[in-house]
Amino acid sequence: MTNEKLLYIETFGCQMNVSDSEKIASLLKGLGYTSTDDSSRADLIILNTCSVRAKAEEKVYGHLGSFKGMKREKKGLLLGVGGCVAQQEGERLLKKVPWLDLVFGTHNLHLLPEMVRAAEHGERRAEVQFIDSDTRLDLFPGGEADGGITRFVTVMQGCDNFCSYCIVPYVRGREVSRRSSDIFAEICSAVAAGVKEVTLLGQNVNSYGLNADGEISFAELLRRIAAIDGLERIRFTTSHPKDISRELIACFAELPKLCGHIHLPAQAGSDAVLARMNRGYTRRQYLGMVSDLKRARPGIQITGDIIVGFPGETEEDFEQTLSLVEEVDYADLFTFIYSERPGTKAAELSGAIPRKEKQQRFDRLQELLRVMTRRRNESFVGTRQKVLVEGVSKRGDQLFGRTDGNRVVNFPADPALVGEIAEVAITFGYQNSLLGERVHD
């Protein structure tokens, strides 16, 4: 017999949600819950949700339906929903899904242990209230100092940009920058526990500190983090192009620990579409930033996001997006077919594109990306790359890690190398990864 309780978390959406899921697991350890990858064994199932795209939201409801039978068959099984769908639906979700036990919003992670205890005694609750900025400063959940090679560190939450297609400001709230002293303390603790790389997270990290009296800028935050002994690498995501500063670009030239990769979503290549999206920059300005970044860090890997089929997008607009993609020469690109999000300004725009036409444009973009990505990966063949080894690959007979530019590399080596930076000679470029051999000096 055992008193162990098992927790299964399914995460949808962005890296912020991945980070939140890690914190959920940490919070519930105090209630005796241990994480499992097998939902059929779980005593508590939590869906950490995303509502940025309609498809992601639809998946959540599909999963909730699939767990209905499990709830009926397993007495005492608890089911919870957190994240953006929870924030958006609140109490309505409990009414829509009678077998659901708890709903917690994006500002309410700190209430989760209390809510789970209540659910264990049969109380169904929804907590989705936004919290004022001053209170949120004391509720930024930090990571556990339990080692690992890489760590997500939340530096800010929320967004003030109100892009016309985006629901994030409505479900994550306005921007709040975490205290830099708390960020440093968390990273120092992580490094002491063996962490070698941190990824700084926020809906718009490069606006860190802009609305916080007495706080440092994001560029200064990077400089101070780079001074932490024992930390090997720094990454960050996501950046809004309108808030890229000269000071931040200079960091790529001056901070060796700052990895040569930036995620810089363009969303479209047409000025007309960018204006309707309320992105706050033009095509020319975006390409100017890309040029400056490439000068600051030769070889920098640039990734991004593109939305296809935004209301009013003409064939000429789409052609401009294709040409932007080629001119930037993205290392990777996350591509989406526009989906209307209730409550956003874009939902009120005329000029909806027929589904078939949106799909055709999406397919054309995907074909271009397949060619570009394969060409990019093949260009690494014959080079030597420094790879931070993160673990054993899915195949089981190789190690895997990432280059400074965020390219995944698999290579045969002793598992004792995990956590170290290895020099690897690249021998083959696949569609989504690189293959190599360790270089022995």
Side-chain angles (χ1 to χ4, degrees):
M1 296 290 292
T2 178
N3 292 322
E4 182 185 49
K5 296 181 289 187
L6 295 179
L7 166 68
Y8 174 81
I9 304 176
E10 185 150 359
T11 306
F12 302 81
C14 66
Q15 288 175 308
M16 184 69 80
N17 271 11
V18 173
S19 178
D20 283 349
S21 289
E22 293 174 354
K23 294 173 176 68
I24 288 168
S26 176
L27 285 167
L28 294 181
K29 277 186 179 180
L31 298 186
Y33 284 91
T34 301
S35 294
T36 178
D37 293 327
D38 185 355
S39 62
S40 68
R41 298 179 59 217
D43 301 288
L44 170 60
I45 295 172
I46 289 179
L47 304 183
N48 192 11
T49 64
C50 172
S51 61
V52 171
R53 312 288 173 196
K55 191 172 183 180
E57 187 172 338
E58 289 164 5
K59 280 185 179 179
V60 171
Y61 284 102
H63 281 61
L64 286 172
S66 70
F67 289 130
K68 183 178 181 179
M70 289 178 61
K71 282 277 290 185
R72 188 167 51 241
E73 294 170 9
K74 186 172 183 179
K75 186 178 180 181
L77 174 63
L78 300 178
L79 180 60
V81 173
C84 295
V85 172
Q87 186 66 52
Q88 193 172 321
E89 294 295 310
E91 289 275 0
R92 292 191 300 272
L93 201 49
L94 290 179
K95 294 175 182 177
K96 288 180 182 178
V97 187
W99 57 94
L100 186 60
D101 298 288
L102 57 133
V103 175
F104 57 99
T106 57
H107 286 200
N108 306 111
L109 286 189
H110 63 291
L111 298 177
L112 188 54
E114 174 191 331
M115 294 177 70
V116 170
R117 278 193 295 265
E120 289 174 339
H121 292 88
E123 181 182 342
R124 301 175 77 220
R125 283 175 59 182
E127 298 284 355
V128 294
Q129 65 274 18
F130 276 157
I131 298 171
D132 67 83
S133 297
D134 289 341
T135 304
R136 284 168 70 191
L137 285 174
D138 294 318
L139 294 174
F140 269 91
E144 282 192 301
D146 58 356
I149 309 304
T150 65
R151 175 75 59 83
F152 290 128
V153 177
T154 302
V155 300
M156 58 87 68
Q157 293 177 337
C159 185
D160 289 348
N161 289 308
F162 290 92
C163 299
S164 66
Y165 55 83
C166 187
I167 200 168
V168 166
Y170 305 100
V171 293
R172 286 281 182 177
R174 305 301 294 269
E175 288 182 2
V176 174
S177 296
R178 189 180 179 192
R179 296 185 187 98
S180 55
S181 57
D182 292 343
I183 297 169
F184 299 144
E186 180 177 342
I187 294 175
C188 287
S189 178
V191 171
V195 169
K196 299 294 180 69
E197 174 185 297
V198 294
T199 300
L200 310 181
L201 292 182
Q203 269 74 34
N204 179 21
V205 288
N206 45 341
S207 67
Y208 174 87
L210 293 181
N211 298 323
D213 290 341
E215 260 307 349
I216 58 179
S217 68
F218 184 57
E220 182 60 25
L221 181 71
L222 289 173
R223 292 182 185 281
R224 295 191 189 183
I225 291 172
I228 296 175
D229 288 338
L231 183 65
E232 300 277 359
R233 287 179 170 181
I234 306 166
R235 302 184 190 273
F236 62 83
T237 193
T238 287
S239 290
H240 194 298
K242 79 174 183 60
D243 292 319
I244 290 280
S245 66
R246 292 287 176 188
E247 186 186 11
L248 177 56
I249 292 173
C251 287
F252 283 98
E254 298 166 6
L255 301 180
K257 289 185 181 180
L258 181 59
C259 288
H261 164 244
I262 185 169
H263 189 69
L264 194 65
Q267 304 298 5
S270 157
D271 284 344
V273 175
L274 289 171
R276 287 197 296 276
M277 287 179 167
N278 192 36
R279 289 294 285 172
Y281 53 85
T282 65
R283 174 194 178 97
R284 181 178 179 181
Q285 289 170 329
Y286 181 86
L287 289 173
M289 296 171 212
V290 169
S291 179
D292 290 344
L293 285 162
K294 289 181 177 181
R295 278 195 297 270
R297 178 72 70 87
I300 190 170
Q301 303 292 293
I302 299 174
T303 57
D305 299 345
I306 292 290
I307 296 172
V308 170
F310 192 75
E313 180 187 71
T314 65
E315 176 63 24
E316 182 182 355
D317 290 329
F318 179 64
E319 290 288 347
Q320 289 182 42
T321 292
L322 292 179
S323 69
L324 178 90
V325 169
E326 291 187 282
E327 189 166 346
V328 174
D329 191 22
Y330 288 103
D332 277 310
L333 202 60
F334 297 93
T335 56
F336 307 93
I337 294 175
Y338 171 75
S339 60
E340 182 181 302
R341 300 284 71 209
T344 62
K345 292 294 184 182
E348 304 170 6
L349 294 176
S350 60
I353 310 299
R355 173 71 197 191
K356 183 178 179 180
E357 190 171 345
K358 288 195 288 188
Q359 186 65 55
Q360 289 172 342
R361 290 177 183 176
F362 181 80
D363 292 344
R364 288 165 60 192
L365 177 58
Q366 285 294 301
E367 182 56 35
L368 172 62
L369 293 177
R370 276 191 286 272
V371 173
M372 288 177 57
T373 302
R374 187 62 179 261
R375 183 177 65 221
R376 165 80 54 149
N377 283 347
E378 289 175 348
S379 74
F380 286 101
V381 174
T383 68
R384 292 186 176 189
Q385 301 290 323
K386 294 188 181 300
V387 176
L388 176 58
V389 185
E390 297 182 30
V392 177
S393 70
K394 291 180 181 179
R395 281 182 33 165
D397 60 347
Q398 295 177 334
L399 302 183
F400 80 94
R402 287 176 297 160
T403 67
D404 174 84
N406 209 37
R407 315 312 292 169
V408 175
V409 180
N410 296 289
F411 64 102
D414 190 323
L417 202 60
V418 172
E420 302 298 322
I421 291 181
E423 188 169 359
V424 179
I426 306 303
T427 58
F428 200 86
Y430 294 103
Q431 187 67 46
N432 298 311
S433 64
L434 305 174
L435 180 66
E437 298 176 351
R438 186 186 178 194
V439 175
H440 296 275
D441 294 326

PDB file of all heavy atoms in Angstrom, residues 129-144:
ATOM      1  N   GLN A 129      -9.846  35.574 -11.026  1.00  0.00           N
ATOM      2  CA  GLN A 129      -9.751  37.018 -10.879  1.00  0.00           C
ATOM      3  C   GLN A 129      -8.339  37.509 -11.195  1.00  0.00           C
ATOM      4  O   GLN A 129      -7.352  36.859 -10.859  1.00  0.00           O
ATOM      5  CB  GLN A 129     -10.143  37.446  -9.454  1.00  0.00           C
ATOM      6  CG  GLN A 129      -9.229  36.954  -8.347  1.00  0.00           C
ATOM      7  CD  GLN A 129      -9.599  35.572  -7.840  1.00  0.00           C
ATOM      8  OE1 GLN A 129     -10.308  34.826  -8.500  1.00  0.00           O
ATOM      9  NE2 GLN A 129      -9.122  35.234  -6.658  1.00  0.00           N
ATOM     10  N   PHE A 130      -8.258  38.657 -11.883  1.00  0.00           N
ATOM     11  CA  PHE A 130      -6.968  39.304 -12.091  1.00  0.00           C
ATOM     12  C   PHE A 130      -6.517  39.942 -10.779  1.00  0.00           C
ATOM     13  O   PHE A 130      -7.333  40.373  -9.962  1.00  0.00           O
ATOM     14  CB  PHE A 130      -7.060  40.379 -13.172  1.00  0.00           C
ATOM     15  CG  PHE A 130      -6.935  39.857 -14.573  1.00  0.00           C
ATOM     16  CD1 PHE A 130      -7.454  40.566 -15.637  1.00  0.00           C
ATOM     17  CD2 PHE A 130      -6.285  38.666 -14.839  1.00  0.00           C
ATOM     18  CE1 PHE A 130      -7.344  40.107 -16.944  1.00  0.00           C
ATOM     19  CE2 PHE A 130      -6.157  38.184 -16.135  1.00  0.00           C
ATOM     20  CZ  PHE A 130      -6.691  38.908 -17.186  1.00  0.00           C
ATOM     21  N   ILE A 131      -5.204  40.016 -10.609  1.00  0.00           N
ATOM     22  CA  ILE A 131      -4.614  40.567  -9.392  1.00  0.00           C
ATOM     23  C   ILE A 131      -3.868  41.831  -9.760  1.00  0.00           C
ATOM     24  O   ILE A 131      -3.230  41.918 -10.814  1.00  0.00           O
ATOM     25  CB  ILE A 131      -3.654  39.540  -8.753  1.00  0.00           C
ATOM     26  CG1 ILE A 131      -4.443  38.286  -8.350  1.00  0.00           C
ATOM     27  CG2 ILE A 131      -2.953  40.116  -7.537  1.00  0.00           C
ATOM     28  CD1 ILE A 131      -3.564  37.139  -7.906  1.00  0.00           C
ATOM     29  N   ASP A 132      -3.921  42.854  -8.893  1.00  0.00           N
ATOM     30  CA  ASP A 132      -3.260  44.120  -9.198  1.00  0.00           C
ATOM     31  C   ASP A 132      -1.751  43.938  -9.278  1.00  0.00           C
ATOM     32  O   ASP A 132      -1.181  42.991  -8.727  1.00  0.00           O
ATOM     33  CB  ASP A 132      -3.612  45.175  -8.145  1.00  0.00           C
ATOM     34  CG  ASP A 132      -3.044  44.841  -6.782  1.00  0.00           C
ATOM     35  OD1 ASP A 132      -1.867  45.139  -6.524  1.00  0.00           O
ATOM     36  OD2 ASP A 132      -3.780  44.270  -5.948  1.00  0.00           O
ATOM     37  N   SER A 133      -1.093  44.856  -9.975  1.00  0.00           N
ATOM     38  CA  SER A 133       0.324  44.722 -10.295  1.00  0.00           C
ATOM     39  C   SER A 133       1.203  44.601  -9.055  1.00  0.00           C
ATOM     40  O   SER A 133       2.143  43.796  -9.019  1.00  0.00           O
ATOM     41  CB  SER A 133       0.778  45.912 -11.145  1.00  0.00           C
ATOM     42  OG  SER A 133       0.094  45.927 -12.378  1.00  0.00           O
ATOM     43  N   ASP A 134       0.927  45.405  -8.028  1.00  0.00           N
ATOM     44  CA  ASP A 134       1.765  45.359  -6.828  1.00  0.00           C
ATOM     45  C   ASP A 134       1.693  43.997  -6.155  1.00  0.00           C
ATOM     46  O   ASP A 134       2.715  43.446  -5.714  1.00  0.00           O
ATOM     47  CB  ASP A 134       1.337  46.450  -5.839  1.00  0.00           C
ATOM     48  CG  ASP A 134       1.702  47.840  -6.320  1.00  0.00           C
ATOM     49  OD1 ASP A 134       2.580  47.944  -7.200  1.00  0.00           O
ATOM     50  OD2 ASP A 134       1.108  48.824  -5.831  1.00  0.00           O
ATOM     51  N   THR A 135       0.518  43.422  -6.081  1.00  0.00           N
ATOM     52  CA  THR A 135       0.357  42.108  -5.465  1.00  0.00           C
ATOM     53  C   THR A 135       1.037  41.030  -6.298  1.00  0.00           C
ATOM     54  O   THR A 135       1.660  40.115  -5.763  1.00  0.00           O
ATOM     55  CB  THR A 135      -1.142  41.766  -5.294  1.00  0.00           C
ATOM     56  OG1 THR A 135      -1.770  42.792  -4.531  1.00  0.00           O
ATOM     57  CG2 THR A 135      -1.327  40.433  -4.589  1.00  0.00           C
ATOM     58  N   ARG A 136       0.939  41.165  -7.626  1.00  0.00           N
ATOM     59  CA  ARG A 136       1.539  40.160  -8.508  1.00  0.00           C
ATOM     60  C   ARG A 136       3.049  40.075  -8.331  1.00  0.00           C
ATOM     61  O   ARG A 136       3.646  39.003  -8.502  1.00  0.00           O
ATOM     62  CB  ARG A 136       1.209  40.480  -9.972  1.00  0.00           C
ATOM     63  CG  ARG A 136      -0.217  40.138 -10.360  1.00  0.00           C
ATOM     64  CD  ARG A 136      -0.576  40.725 -11.703  1.00  0.00           C
ATOM     65  NE  ARG A 136       0.131  40.062 -12.804  1.00  0.00           N
ATOM     66  CZ  ARG A 136       0.151  40.530 -14.040  1.00  0.00           C
ATOM     67  NH1 ARG A 136      -0.468  41.666 -14.340  1.00  0.00           N
ATOM     68  NH2 ARG A 136       0.785  39.882 -14.989  1.00  0.00           N
ATOM     69  N   LEU A 137       3.690  41.181  -7.951  1.00  0.00           N
ATOM     70  CA  LEU A 137       5.143  41.157  -7.758  1.00  0.00           C
ATOM     71  C   LEU A 137       5.555  40.145  -6.696  1.00  0.00           C
ATOM     72  O   LEU A 137       6.646  39.575  -6.762  1.00  0.00           O
ATOM     73  CB  LEU A 137       5.649  42.555  -7.363  1.00  0.00           C
ATOM     74  CG  LEU A 137       5.721  43.582  -8.494  1.00  0.00           C
ATOM     75  CD1 LEU A 137       6.099  44.945  -7.942  1.00  0.00           C
ATOM     76  CD2 LEU A 137       6.721  43.147  -9.564  1.00  0.00           C
ATOM     77  N   ASP A 138       4.695  39.930  -5.719  1.00  0.00           N
ATOM     78  CA  ASP A 138       5.009  38.981  -4.652  1.00  0.00           C
ATOM     79  C   ASP A 138       4.538  37.566  -4.966  1.00  0.00           C
ATOM     80  O   ASP A 138       4.756  36.652  -4.171  1.00  0.00           O
ATOM     81  CB  ASP A 138       4.371  39.449  -3.333  1.00  0.00           C
ATOM     82  CG  ASP A 138       4.971  40.753  -2.829  1.00  0.00           C
ATOM     83  OD1 ASP A 138       6.206  40.889  -2.898  1.00  0.00           O
ATOM     84  OD2 ASP A 138       4.211  41.630  -2.388  1.00  0.00           O
ATOM     85  N   LEU A 139       3.876  37.393  -6.119  1.00  0.00           N
ATOM     86  CA  LEU A 139       3.306  36.090  -6.453  1.00  0.00           C
ATOM     87  C   LEU A 139       3.944  35.453  -7.684  1.00  0.00           C
ATOM     88  O   LEU A 139       3.460  34.443  -8.163  1.00  0.00           O
ATOM     89  CB  LEU A 139       1.789  36.220  -6.668  1.00  0.00           C
ATOM     90  CG  LEU A 139       0.974  36.595  -5.427  1.00  0.00           C
ATOM     91  CD1 LEU A 139      -0.481  36.825  -5.798  1.00  0.00           C
ATOM     92  CD2 LEU A 139       1.089  35.506  -4.362  1.00  0.00           C
ATOM     93  N   PHE A 140       5.007  36.080  -8.216  1.00  0.00           N
ATOM     94  CA  PHE A 140       5.710  35.437  -9.320  1.00  0.00           C
ATOM     95  C   PHE A 140       6.257  34.105  -8.822  1.00  0.00           C
ATOM     96  O   PHE A 140       7.080  34.077  -7.912  1.00  0.00           O
ATOM     97  CB  PHE A 140       6.880  36.300  -9.804  1.00  0.00           C
ATOM     98  CG  PHE A 140       6.523  37.244 -10.905  1.00  0.00           C
ATOM     99  CD1 PHE A 140       6.087  38.525 -10.612  1.00  0.00           C
ATOM    100  CD2 PHE A 140       6.625  36.859 -12.223  1.00  0.00           C
ATOM    101  CE1 PHE A 140       5.758  39.415 -11.624  1.00  0.00           C
ATOM    102  CE2 PHE A 140       6.303  37.735 -13.253  1.00  0.00           C
ATOM    103  CZ  PHE A 140       5.863  39.020 -12.947  1.00  0.00           C
ATOM    104  N   PRO A 141       5.790  32.993  -9.376  1.00  0.00           N
ATOM    105  CA  PRO A 141       6.298  31.702  -8.893  1.00  0.00           C
ATOM    106  C   PRO A 141       7.704  31.453  -9.389  1.00  0.00           C
ATOM    107  O   PRO A 141       7.998  31.586 -10.579  1.00  0.00           O
ATOM    108  CB  PRO A 141       5.308  30.689  -9.487  1.00  0.00           C
ATOM    109  CG  PRO A 141       4.740  31.370 -10.684  1.00  0.00           C
ATOM    110  CD  PRO A 141       4.776  32.850 -10.412  1.00  0.00           C
ATOM    111  N   GLY A 142       8.605  31.107  -8.485  1.00  0.00           N
ATOM    112  CA  GLY A 142       9.974  30.798  -8.863  1.00  0.00           C
ATOM    113  C   GLY A 142      10.144  29.314  -9.100  1.00  0.00           C
ATOM    114  O   GLY A 142       9.284  28.503  -8.750  1.00  0.00           O
ATOM    115  N   GLY A 143      11.268  28.938  -9.692  1.00  0.00           N
ATOM    116  CA  GLY A 143      11.539  27.527  -9.947  1.00  0.00           C
ATOM    117  C   GLY A 143      12.217  26.876  -8.755  1.00  0.00           C
ATOM    118  O   GLY A 143      12.813  27.523  -7.904  1.00  0.00           O
ATOM    119  N   GLU A 144      12.100  25.556  -8.697  1.00  0.00           N
ATOM    120  CA  GLU A 144      12.774  24.811  -7.645  1.00  0.00           C
ATOM    121  C   GLU A 144      14.271  24.718  -7.936  1.00  0.00           C
ATOM    122  O   GLU A 144      14.678  24.617  -9.095  1.00  0.00           O
ATOM    123  CB  GLU A 144      12.212  23.388  -7.560  1.00  0.00           C
ATOM    124  CG  GLU A 144      10.874  23.294  -6.857  1.00  0.00           C
ATOM    125  CD  GLU A 144      10.540  21.848  -6.570  1.00  0.00           C
ATOM    126  OE1 GLU A 144      10.455  21.065  -7.522  1.00  0.00           O
ATOM    127  OE2 GLU A 144      10.379  21.509  -5.393  1.00  0.00           O
TER     128      GLU A 144
END
